[in-house]
Structures are given as C-alpha cells and as structure tokens.
Amino acid sequence: MIEKTLVSLEEAIAIVLDNCPSLACERVPIGAALHRGLAENVTARREHPPWNNSAMDGYAVRSEDVADASTSQPVVLNVVGEIQAGATATQVVNRGEAIRIMTGAPTPAEADTVVCVEDCDRTGDRVQVKYAAKRGDHIRLKGEDITTGQQLLTAGTTLSPAALGVLATAGYSSVLVRRQASVSVLATGDELVEPGEALGPEQIINSNSYSVSALVRDSGARCLTLPSARDNPDDLKTKIAQALQADVALVIGGVSMGKYDYVKEVLEGLGCRFKFWRVAVRPGHPVAFGIVGSGRDTRLLFGLPGNPVSCVVGFYQFVRPLLRKMMGHETLFLPEVEATLAADFRKKAGRTHLARATTTFRDGRYHVQLAPQQGSGVLTSFIGANSLAVLPAPQTTFSAGEVIKVQLLPE
Ligand code: AMP
Ligand code: MG
C-alpha cells in the first residue's frame, strides 16, 4: 500500500529523477539563452582574437628598440602613424619608429611589443619610451582565447552570462537548448484569501502561491499560477484538471490526513499513479509524487504540504532537481558544503531534518548555525537563512563542533 510506505529522502529523489522525461530541444537566440540547459556540444566556429592586437592604449614598437630604455635614458622613437580599433594595420614599423595604437587595434606585423601610453612622453611626432619593454608586452595573440574547432561547452551546461559571450565570440547567434518546462501552481484550502483581499476572522493569506511560483521561475521554468481551490472535490477536480495542462503540476495543501484533504482522492479519480505519498523528511513529510497520462500526454504531479516552510523545502528537494533534469542541466542539486555545527541539536530518529540555517565561511572553513525557530509554519526563519542543514535520519544527537552537510540556497 503506497500510503503506508514512507520513503527516505534519497529514495524519493531517485524515484522523481527516474521518472523524469527530457523536454524537446529548441534553438533560441543567444540573447534569450541565459540560465538555459545547453542541448549540444559547442565547438568554436572561429578563432579569437582573429589577429594579434593591442591590449592597451599605447605605441606599437619593435622590442629591440626599447630593450634598454629607462627613466634616466629614455629611447626616442618617431611616431609614423596611428591605428584605432576597427582599422587595418597598413603601416610598417621600421627600426626607430612607433605607431600610436588603441586597445583592440591590430598590431602591425613588424611591431612585436606595445608600450603603454602612460609610460611615454609625446612631443609632436616623437615619443620618449621610459622603460624597458619585453618582447610581446601588451599584445594579445591571435587565437590565444579560442582556436577554431576548440570544444567550448558541453551539453548539460547551464548557460552563464559569460558563456553567452563566449558563444557570441565563437560565431554563434543562436544555440540549442532544452525547452522550458511549464509548471502550474495550485494552492488549496478553504481558509485562503489573496493578499489585498478582505480577510475573514478564520482566514489566512495565501502565501504559498507566491513563494512557490517564484521558486518555479527561479528554476528557469514557465509558471502558471492558478486561482486557489476550495477544499471540495468538485472545485479541486476542475482546478487540478487545469493544473495538469502543464508539464508539471504543483498542488499545494490538502495532502495530509485531514478530513477535508481531498487532493489524493481527486487525483486518483483523474488516474494519477502515485510513486510515493510520504517522505521521511522534516519539514515536508506529506509530499506526494505521481504521474498522470501516458506517452506524449504524460504529466508529472507533486502534492506539496500546505505549511509554508514545508512546501518551500519540498520544492528545493524534489521539484527543482526534476525541473533542472527535464530542462537539460547537468547540475541538478543545490551546492553542498561541509560545515561545523555551532551548537548542540537533538531530534528524533527516523526522518532527515532539513533545518533552515546560516552558513558562513570563516578561518578556512564553513560554520553553520541553525535558525532558532524550526516550525514548519515559521516562514520568517528563511529570512536571513542562506542554507539548509542536512541532519541525517538515523542520528538523534548533534554536538557543537560536529561537521555536517549543508545545502546552500540560491540568493
Ligand atoms: P494543509 O497541508 O492543507 O493541511 O495545510 C497545512 C497548513 O498550511 C495549514 O495551517 C494551512 O492553513 C497552511 N496553508 C495551506 N495552504 C496555504 C497557503 N497557500 N498559504 C499559506 N498557508 C497555507
Ligand atoms: Mg488545507
């Protein structure tokens, strides 16, 4: 019986990832590819720099002319021309000559060195070079950054701002990435009203739709936030059916053992095949994962707990890795570091605790301090926290000074 089965955090993550489809690829302009999962190996179509060029504003010279220059014995050269970025180096630099050159301008073939403008004194057509420049100084060599055919990026890379610049430099105006997942967010509960709406005495403001939708967008997926559903089978059925239009549906609340928690039966009615229903984790124990439909119409669904902390933690553990895998990212999980625990902590055996925490790097190592309030309704504990401390299921006592694993949260 699936509802009796309590899977471990690790098992649950493995089940989610095992059932992960890969989304189709699409070619997008590089300007639209930030943080997308690259779906092809990229080799350079062109070299960079395309020619030797100056790294400084200065004078293109021959190194043998300036090898002995010094402040007390400057070398005087005749300035025979000027090259700006975008211009062609047509003039020749003969012995005893210099050409004024700007950053990025091609260096004339005979000039093997650039001396910085700050280290020279110019008078009319003459320039005094006051230090001994070495051969090759301030010249960026053809192909020193990228050679044609060089492997630059591999499929699975998360495209960073710098990677987009590299793509542009290497001759790409578009790139193959995985399509973005569409994710629907459906909060459930009779007690919910929207921010700004009149609040009855027994009502609370729907916060989960806002935190979870933001997490979806932060993961690089497209988010469809639905109006929240009431705790009755009809409304749930209608709204869950809408939620299942997306690749992944996140139904929040109504998944625990409450009398009015109808989400599970409605989902079963819609043909959902649950892979797990409860996970040995705290917070976020009543978290469900299931599959609806088949073939090209397959939809994945998470039932996340309504407690505001639990649904955020559940998102980070299960939903974010799934979305990243679907969208073609090689790195699925939050970065993890080992950190020294600041104070003793006790818990019951059986569940992995993911405690909101502040992790800092000091004296060559990470230190982690758990937030004082760990209640699953205390969302404010995330403010200022930058991490989740991983306290393994079997362990009950943790001592100050002990080294534990910590997941670092994105900003
Ligand atoms: P549930 O999972 O539906 O049993 O809800 C657990 C707790 O989370 C209850 O205290 C709910 O009032 C609260 N809760 C459920 N949904 C939301 C929501 N969208 N925003 C804020 N709190 C919620
Ligand atoms: Mg509820």
Side-chain angles (χ1 to χ4, degrees), residues 9 215 281-284 304 307-319 334 353-356 382 388 407 409:
L9 175 62
L215 287 166
V281 68
R282 188 189 166 109
L304 295 173
N307 277 312
V309 174
S310 309
C311 66
V312 170
V313 171
F315 184 94
Y316 279 125
Q317 304 312 304
F318 310 110
V319 188
L334 294 171
H353 283 214
L354 296 159
R356 280 143 284 163
F382 265 115
L388 291 171
Q407 300 175 351
L409 297 171

Side-chain angles (χ1 to χ4, degrees), residues 43-44 52 107 142 150 190-191 221 284 309 342 354 369 391 410:
T43 51
N52 292 356
T107 46
K142 172 176 157 61
Q150 180 186 338
D190 280 347
E191 72 276 37
V309 174
L354 296 159
Q369 179 129 38
L391 304 163

Side-chain angles (χ1 to χ4, degrees), residues 1 10 14 32 51 59 69 75 88-89 106 126 129 156 168 249 251-252 265 267 301 310 330 341 371-372 389:
M1 281 289 286
E10 297 75 18
W51 13 258
Y59 292 88
V75 168
T88 316
R126 295 183 158 237
V129 179
V251 181
I252 311 167
E265 73 179 55
L267 280 167
L301 178 134
S310 309
E330 196 172 84
L341 197 55

Side-chain angles (χ1 to χ4, degrees), residues 12-308:
I13 293 169
I15 291 170
V16 168
L17 296 179
D18 273 357
N19 287 282
C20 175
S22 276
L23 295 173
C25 301
E26 61 182 9
R27 188 160 285 283
V28 298
I30 54 172
L34 183 62
H35 298 151
R36 300 286 292 270
L38 184 62
E40 60 181 342
N41 293 330
V42 173
T43 51
R45 287 179 176 157
R46 43 189 314 284
E47 68 180 336
H48 186 75
W51 13 258
N52 292 356
N53 71 95
S54 179
M56 300 292 274
D57 289 324
Y59 292 88
V61 299
R62 297 173 87 134
S63 56
E64 64 258 45
D65 279 347
V66 295
D68 299 322
S70 65
T71 330
S72 54
Q73 299 236 288
V75 168
V76 179
L77 301 171
N78 289 325
V79 181
V80 296
E82 185 179 289
I83 316 168
Q84 66 185 93
T88 316
T90 48
Q91 284 142 300
V92 173
V93 180
N94 296 306
R95 291 292 310 260
E97 291 180 350
I99 289 183
R100 177 77 170 96
I101 193 163
M102 312 313 155
T103 306
T107 46
E110 319 73 22
D112 59 8
T113 303
V114 168
V115 287
C116 306
V117 74
E118 294 86 344
D119 297 316
C120 299
D121 276 341
R122 173 89 179 254
T123 323
D125 285 345
R126 295 183 158 237
V127 66
Q128 278 196 339
V129 179
K130 294 187 292 185
Y131 75 100
K134 285 200 310 297
R135 187 161 191 262
D137 272 0
H138 307 308
I139 291 188
R140 300 189 283 217
L141 295 176
K142 172 176 157 61
E144 74 172 23
D145 184 11
I146 298 171
T147 54
T148 306
Q150 180 186 338
Q151 171 93 23
L152 291 173
L153 299 162
T154 50
T157 301
T158 303
L159 292 170
S160 65
L164 300 184
V166 168
L167 285 167
T169 307
Y172 289 82
S173 58
S174 66
V175 69
L176 200 68
V177 293
R178 295 265 165 209
R179 122 174 131 69
Q180 286 176 288
S182 60
V183 181
S184 56
V185 174
L186 174 64
T188 71
D190 280 347
E191 72 276 37
L192 302 179
V193 295
E194 292 308 301
E197 279 180 10
L199 197 65
E202 282 82 31
Q203 292 182 307
I204 61 159
I205 299 169
N206 169 15
S207 65
N208 293 339
S209 288
Y210 298 88
S211 50
V212 174
S213 298
L215 287 166
V216 169
R217 287 189 210 100
D218 228 17
S219 305
R222 292 182 195 280
C223 184
L224 169 70
T225 311
L226 293 164
S228 63
R230 302 297 101 192
D231 286 320
N232 71 67
D234 286 343
D235 196 35
L236 281 170
K237 206 169 163 182
T238 313
K239 299 232 169 81
I240 290 176
Q242 281 171 25
L244 288 169
Q245 302 288 310
D247 298 311
V248 179
L250 307 180
V251 181
I252 311 167
V255 291
S256 18
M257 305 301 276
K259 191 172 164 200
Y260 300 99
D261 288 343
Y262 295 116
V263 169
K264 189 177 180 219
E265 73 179 55
V266 168
L267 280 167
E268 275 168 348
L270 290 166
C272 180
R273 303 174 311 271
F274 287 107
K275 296 291 174 182
F276 58 79
W277 186 251
R278 297 191 300 153
V279 181
V281 68
R282 188 189 166 109
H285 157 251
V287 55
F289 174 64
I291 301 173
V292 182
S294 58
R296 296 187 55 158
D297 289 328
T298 305
R299 303 284 190 260
L300 301 178
L301 178 134
F302 285 93
L304 295 173
N307 277 312

